[in-house]
Amino acid sequence: MPGDEEPQPEQHRLRFHVLGPVRADRDGQPLPLGSPQERAALAILLLRDGRSLTASELVDALWGDDPPHRAMDTLRAYVTRLRAVLEPARPFRGRAKVLVSTGGGYAVRVPPGSLDATVFEEHLAAAATARASGDPAGAYARLSTALALWEGTALAGLTGPYAERERERLTELRATAREDHFDCALALGRHSESVAGLRALTAEQPLREKPRALLMLALHRAGRQSEALAVFSETGRLLPEGPGPELVRLRERILAGDPALAAPGAAPAADVRRASAAAPVPARPQAVSDRLPPEPAGFTGRETLTAEVREALAAGDVVVLTGPGGTGKTALAVHTARAVRAAYPDGLLYAGLRGTDTALVDLLYALGVTDAALPDGVERRTALYRSLLADRRVLVVLDDAHDPSQVLPLLPGTPGCAAIVTTRSRDVGLGLGMPGVRTVEVDAMEEKEALALLTAVGGGRAAASAVAGGDAARSVADACARLPLALRIAGALLATPPAWPPSDLAARLAEERQRLDALHADADAHALALETVCRVAHDALEPEAARAFRLLALPDAGPLDADSAAAVLDLPEAARAEAVTGGLTGAGLLESPAPGRYGHHALVRRFARQQSERTDSPPVRDAALLRLLDHQLATAATALLRLTPDSPLPRHLLHHLATAGHPPADAGTARAWTHDAHPHVLATVRQVLAQDVPGALRPAVDLLTVWADLTADTARRQDLEPPARQALDRAREQGDDTAAARTLRLLAAPRPGPDAHARAVHDLREALRLAEGAHDPLTPLLAGYELGVVLLELDRADEALPLLVRAEEGLGREGATGAAAEALAHAARAYIALGRSEESLAAADAAAGRARELGHGRTLALVLLQTGRAHLRADRTSAAADRLREALAVEPEGTAPRREALVWAWLARCRLAQLRHREAIAAADRALALESGPGDDRVRGLALAARGRAQLALGEPRLALGALREAYEVLARGGAAEATEVASLLDEEFPGQRG
């Protein structure tokens, strides 16, 4: 029939992806490609671009010098399974059309454009042609499209010599393409927007000089000469023989003010359009959603202020809204941000500034960063934040800033992005010390605006009063000092049954105001107005609602969800709590910043807490906080069991749980709850310890102990140190040796510093001493195991081994199979360090076997890493490489980037031992690329040391010296034992140049 299309051959609908995890799809639906080795076989043939490979060559490519028994049979099984997946409709014994047999070998035949790596290289070639012909816009578009094809590390999770060589080749092509992409951006005058991305690139590739040259040029063109010269100085520290001639010449030209370095004019629009037509437009980074809190119902007025803020945003300014509390700064910021939404297509972000680092973490999560990928430290987090905003148009609302230091790390710093800051301090805008800051004063509303807001919230009675002359409504507005917060509470009194007539409310407010004026003659008018309205509203509540209003203000952990609110209020179920919180929200006394969460405005909370101090006894207030603590502990203990079913911690809590909490249904729910609850849990622990709530110490220590396991392998684990120190102080004050021992164990986690391991040994020994004296059954097991690991890292295997053996036996008796397998894997390292190779091999095999039976990815990865290290020390390098490669494959890539980076660093050392120096460099670079996110100094030091050794062996002493010097500096700063061997190598190969 006319218009019908001929059916497309099945292979034409297939698409293959190797620029990231190897995958395939048909019509967009993913295909099950089987094991890593099956995917490796397919990838090898795909990258041959249709050319055949003999079966023996394919075996070599897959397994190198260590093929499995009956490798040919295994290979044929792979081919059979892959053919069934790629051509499911192929008749039995029918001829394959995709994965074809070719005279003793195989080939993959697919149409052009089916493999992302081939498309990538085609775009690179087209970009090179465009640059050669003087078309930077066309080259930029081609390179943008090429780089948008990448989904992570090429051939991620695949092992084998061919995969590693291809990964290194493709990674090098990508690195060069990124440099060329920025080069084209600078040629097009896009210097300011390139700075953040170039900083990220230099962090990932610290020893490549071209990104540094481009960063210096971009900073210079952006008028930031001192920063450009600082990049040169930093390069000098990394490469002690000095920067290369290109960087030296660029520095001289910057100092001389060479006009030839000035930014070129922007490319003509027609050129850009032609370039865009020449290549597909790359996908924009995934847009963030609207993360703003809901706008208050009935927002009205503020037209002049809204127009002023919009004008400032259009001019590219940072807008600072300043004024007293309760004047509606946040509502104005949210309303205006949504009004200009179209100008910021990549999203609206929001952060409440409880603290710079907390707000920064919130913003990173909104941009898609996971707990596992969260970097250490404010500097790394700020760099990641700004790099994620590069090439996006995002508006950020920073709410309730106290000082400029909170705000500065959170400003996007990227052209096209903007920020609105709210603050009560007039000094914040001035203190930012940067051009393009517009301060807008927000005060009480004009009378007309106040009446309109009161009418919008108060409904019919307020409207009728305003129509009838408005005297009563005007009196109510005046009693509220025309503050939007007070007006909303008053409007709710007019609208919520039993509703007040406007005249009665005006009289009651006037009476209360007179009373407060007499009590607080010198009080601020705004504060008095708000207290007046809050008192009248509180007194109008039913007793149960009034109690809830007061008690829900007590926790620092807010806003609360319904389950937490039920715990605070001692209600049997969340539905009852939702009814109470819903009523208080309708009364204007609670806010709901997110669905299902409820909290007080800061000024209303202060009033509610004062009322609680006057009304509720100390035991009542303490009991409310203890119920919340108990609820969080019960939920956390269940979450831990969802993630680690054999964990011994929930069986050995010091506190007897009074509730079941809100048990997460499965592992995914447990992870999500842990992520969301983290700041609220720590706030509760800090509060009960700071207030010395009777009976709170032991449940607080329990919650910190469980939380340490829930946040293991993430940067959030470090957040536990301040509350743990609080807990230790309280335990010592109360003479509770068991609580002190458990807290000391948490604090013993090695931290950066030259004496990190020594401090850990001291704290763990003290924890053991206290726990044994207090007959604590749990701490000797865990602290003994951890002490054995630390001693092993200090190369004190003779002391470590008995501790690890006892821990493995004790954990096994506890049913903690995973932890026992991990202890046994560490014992394998101790055995080999003591020259007991047979016992080491037996322990390593037993540990790996138990971990495989358990089927827990994290445990198996940890066991394989440690047993790989044991094999490496025993010079069984082939077995070591197998263990380490398997450790990379047992969990999806990106699940635990810190551990993944550490595995790559040890794999680099393994390749060194095998004299495979190029592969060692590739593995070290993988470790450095993964480490650049979380920021693990030990991984960085190990990887740089391996890189330096490999470069030395390859006859590249200049690069080797730079890598080894930085490795020594990083390892010595962190107190890592490996610093000594790097120092010895530097002294031997480069006398007097250690630094």
Side-chain angles (χ1 to χ4, degrees):
M1 294 178 62
D4 283 355
E5 295 181 1
E6 184 178 340
Q8 190 181 29
E10 186 169 359
Q11 65 265 34
H12 287 203
R13 306 199 310 264
L14 291 169
R15 293 291 182 270
F16 299 92
H17 311 266
V18 298
L19 301 180
V22 174
R23 60 186 182 86
D25 56 71
R26 179 184 293 107
D27 295 332
Q29 297 300 311
L31 300 179
L33 295 181
S35 69
Q37 287 296 81
E38 288 175 72
R39 287 184 283 120
L42 176 62
I44 291 167
L45 293 172
L46 283 166
L47 290 166
R48 294 281 296 172
D49 197 23
R51 290 172 288 121
S52 64
L53 205 61
T54 67
S56 59
E57 289 172 331
L58 191 50
V59 166
D60 288 341
L62 280 170
W63 292 291
D65 299 331
D66 191 19
H69 180 60
R70 302 185 68 178
M72 287 296 184
D73 290 344
T74 302
L75 178 61
R76 281 191 286 272
Y78 290 171
V79 170
T80 299
R81 286 196 290 267
L82 286 169
R83 282 173 171 167
V85 169
L86 297 175
E87 298 180 76
R90 182 170 61 91
F92 180 67
R93 298 188 183 279
R95 188 174 180 180
K97 298 178 181 178
V98 179
L99 204 172
V100 301
S101 299
T102 57
Y106 303 99
V108 169
R109 304 279 166 78
V110 293
S114 301
L115 177 63
D116 59 356
T118 303
V119 177
F120 171 70
E121 295 191 52
E122 288 171 354
H123 283 304
L124 296 192
T129 301
R131 293 184 77 188
S133 63
D135 181 14
Y140 181 86
R142 284 285 191 176
L143 289 166
S144 297
T145 304
L147 292 168
L149 294 169
W150 283 74
E151 300 174 341
T153 302
L155 304 167
L158 299 194
T159 58
Y162 185 90
E164 293 185 12
R165 285 195 301 272
E166 279 298 300
R167 184 182 296 116
E168 183 177 358
R169 181 184 73 84
L170 291 167
T171 300
E172 177 63 26
L173 284 176
R174 184 191 191 191
T176 303
R178 292 175 72 188
E179 293 171 353
D180 292 345
H181 189 245
F182 282 116
D183 207 353
C184 291
L186 297 188
L188 295 169
R190 300 176 178 180
H191 41 273
S192 294
E193 64 193 77
S194 298
V195 168
L198 281 167
R199 285 199 189 279
L201 183 57
T202 56
E204 293 173 25
Q205 304 284 347
L207 303 179
R208 293 177 76 103
E209 293 199 6
K210 185 171 182 180
R212 294 182 175 275
L214 292 169
L215 177 57
M216 288 175 66
L217 182 58
L219 289 166
H220 171 69
R221 288 180 175 176
R224 299 157 67 177
Q225 280 77 9
S226 60
E227 293 181 63
L229 297 172
V231 173
F232 181 88
S233 301
E234 180 189 29
T235 306
R237 284 190 287 105
L238 287 174
L239 303 176
E241 291 187 8
E246 179 187 355
L247 286 178
V248 172
R249 176 62 183 146
L250 179 57
R251 174 179 178 271
E252 292 171 353
R253 294 175 68 190
I254 290 173
L255 289 171
D258 186 346
L261 293 180
D271 290 347
V272 176
R273 282 195 298 272
R274 279 198 302 274
S276 298
V281 177
R284 296 182 62 84
Q286 184 178 359
V288 296
S289 59
D290 179 344
R291 298 303 182 101
L292 301 180
E295 187 176 316
F299 182 92
T300 188
R302 301 301 202 187
E303 289 87 357
T304 302
L305 286 175
T306 301
E308 186 175 354
V309 175
R310 295 184 68 161
E311 177 189 346
L313 291 173
D317 294 339
V318 173
V319 182
V320 178
L321 303 179
T322 182
T327 53
K329 299 180 294 296
T330 302
L332 175 62
V334 170
H335 172 76
T336 310
R338 290 217 169 89
V340 298
R341 177 70 170 86
Y344 302 96
D346 293 316
L348 305 175
L349 293 174
Y350 172 87
L353 302 191
R354 297 180 299 276
T356 302
D357 199 25
T358 303
L360 187 52
V361 169
D362 292 343
L363 291 170
L364 287 172
Y365 286 145
L367 290 166
V369 176
T370 63
D371 282 342
L374 184 68
D376 293 332
V378 173
E379 290 185 5
R380 283 183 179 272
R381 291 174 183 177
T382 302
L384 176 60
Y385 167 61
R386 289 180 175 158
S387 70
L388 290 173
L389 290 181
D391 298 323
R392 295 191 185 193
R393 295 183 63 83
V394 170
L395 176 59
V396 185
V397 175
L398 305 173
D399 193 22
D400 197 18
H402 300 291
D403 58 66
S405 64
Q406 284 185 301
V407 175
L408 284 168
L410 308 177
L411 296 177
T414 303
C417 292
I420 304 175
V421 182
T422 74
T423 177
R424 299 182 204 176
S425 170
R426 288 183 169 83
D427 297 332
V428 167
L430 293 173
L432 292 177
M434 53 188 289
V437 175
R438 180 93 63 95
T439 298
V440 177
E441 296 282 345
V442 183
D443 209 332
M445 303 181 94
E446 298 292 333
E447 182 179 86
K448 181 180 178 181
E449 293 178 322
L451 291 173
L453 177 57
L454 191 62
T455 299
V457 178
R461 292 196 176 197
S465 174
V467 170
D471 289 341
R474 194 171 291 109
S475 296
V476 171
D478 289 343
C480 294
R482 300 197 298 275
L483 290 176
L485 177 59
L487 288 164
R488 289 186 178 281
I489 298 172
L493 287 169
L494 294 172
T496 306
W500 292 57
S503 56
D504 289 357
L505 179 57
R508 180 69 181 88
L509 290 172
E511 176 187 338
E512 183 64 29
R513 179 60 182 265
Q514 288 174 0
R515 189 179 73 81
L516 290 175
D517 276 337
L519 288 173
H520 310 290
D522 298 329
D524 173 76
H526 287 165
L528 276 177
L530 184 59
E531 185 173 355
T532 296
V533 177
C534 285
R535 282 186 179 280
V536 172
H538 174 264
D539 293 346
L541 294 172
E542 294 294 329
E544 182 185 20
R547 172 181 175 274
F549 169 67
R550 298 191 304 271
L551 294 186
L552 290 174
L554 297 180
D556 289 343
L560 301 175
D561 59 24
D563 290 297
S564 299
V568 171
L569 300 177
D570 199 16
L571 296 175
E573 55 189 19
R576 285 278 304 278
E578 286 178 333
V580 173
T581 52
L584 291 171
T585 303
L589 293 171
L590 284 187
E591 299 176 335
S592 182
R597 285 196 171 272
Y598 304 92
H600 298 71
H601 185 283
L603 297 177
V604 177
R605 170 178 291 196
R606 186 171 66 184
F607 167 80
R609 285 184 170 181
Q610 289 170 349
Q611 284 298 107
S612 182
E613 289 173 6
R614 298 186 184 106
T615 307
D616 306 313
S617 67
V620 167
R621 298 199 302 275
D622 291 342
L625 294 177
L626 283 174
R627 287 193 297 271
L628 177 60
L629 182 64
D630 185 273
H631 166 77
Q632 291 174 335
L633 173 57
T635 308
T638 308
L640 181 59
L641 290 175
R642 295 288 184 266
L643 296 168
T644 311
D646 62 352
S647 172
L649 295 183
R651 295 193 299 276
H652 290 284
L653 298 178
L654 300 174
H655 169 70
H656 179 71
L657 290 169
T659 68
H662 184 66
D666 52 34
T669 310
R671 289 190 191 93
W673 178 80
T674 302
H675 171 92
D676 293 339
H678 183 77
H680 307 298
V681 163
L682 295 192
T684 300
V685 171
R686 286 193 299 264
Q687 183 179 14
V688 298
L689 292 172
Q691 295 179 9
D692 200 9
V693 173
L697 173 62
R698 288 199 158 199
V701 170
D702 282 339
L703 188 47
L704 289 172
T705 303
V706 171
W707 213 256
D709 263 28
L710 286 171
T711 56
D713 299 326
T714 75
R716 300 191 112 180
R717 172 65 176 78
Q718 299 172 5
D719 298 342
L720 275 63
E721 183 174 345
R725 293 206 173 279
Q726 281 181 286
L728 181 60
D729 290 342
R730 291 296 183 201
R732 285 171 170 163
E733 289 171 8
Q734 298 177 23
D736 189 333
D737 286 350
T738 303
R742 294 195 177 192
T743 310
L744 272 169
R745 185 184 75 82
L746 299 182
L747 289 168
R751 301 176 294 282
D755 61 343
H757 288 88
R759 282 187 283 117
V761 169
H762 174 274
D763 288 348
L764 288 168
R765 289 198 189 282
E766 179 65 8
L768 284 169
R769 184 187 69 80
L770 291 172
E772 287 165 0
H775 306 291
D776 177 9
L778 178 68
T779 302
L781 277 179
L782 301 181
Y785 165 42
E786 289 157 2
L787 178 58
V789 173
V790 175
L791 290 169
L792 196 55
E793 293 301 325
L794 290 170
D795 209 16
R796 292 159 61 178
D798 54 335
E799 299 174 67
L801 182 58
L803 291 166
L804 293 168
V805 170
R806 280 201 299 272
E808 186 264 332
E809 293 171 349
L811 289 165
R813 285 194 299 272
E814 278 286 331
T817 310
E822 292 170 23
L824 186 57
H826 284 289
R829 288 176 51 213
Y831 281 124
I832 195 61
L834 296 171
R836 297 159 64 174
S837 58
E838 289 186 9
E839 291 165 285
S840 173
L841 180 60
D845 288 346
R850 291 186 203 172
R852 289 191 181 97
E853 288 176 11
L854 187 63
H856 190 280
R858 175 180 178 272
T859 297
L860 181 55
L862 287 167
V863 166
L864 290 169
L865 168 59
Q866 301 308 326
T867 55
R869 292 177 65 183
H871 282 297
L872 180 58
R873 183 151 184 172
D875 292 326
R876 295 190 288 262
T877 55
S878 180
D882 286 346
R883 298 295 185 279
L884 295 169
R885 289 198 303 259
E886 187 183 352
L888 293 169
V890 296
E891 291 183 290
E893 188 177 19
T895 301
R898 295 164 187 272
R899 185 167 60 250
E900 191 177 347
L902 184 60
V903 174
W904 278 109
W906 282 105
L907 188 56
R909 289 176 68 112
C910 186
R911 294 309 188 205
L912 276 176
Q914 294 173 310
L915 304 181
R916 294 159 70 169
H917 299 111
R918 289 294 177 195
E919 293 178 38
I921 290 175
D925 286 347
R926 289 287 303 282
L928 289 169
L930 288 164
E931 177 276 333
S932 66
D936 188 318
D937 278 349
R938 181 161 183 262
V939 170
R940 182 171 184 76
L942 290 173
L944 284 168
R947 198 181 212 290
R949 287 177 180 275
Q951 288 165 331
L952 196 60
L954 291 169
E956 300 171 350
R958 177 170 166 271
L959 293 175
L961 177 56
L964 291 170
R965 282 188 62 174
E966 187 179 359
Y968 172 72
E969 178 185 339
V970 169
L971 292 170
R973 185 171 64 239
E978 292 84 4
T980 303
E981 64 181 63
V982 178
S984 299
L985 180 61
L986 280 167
D987 292 343
E988 180 181 344
E989 297 289 340
F990 306 99
Q993 297 191 57
R994 191 194 301 177

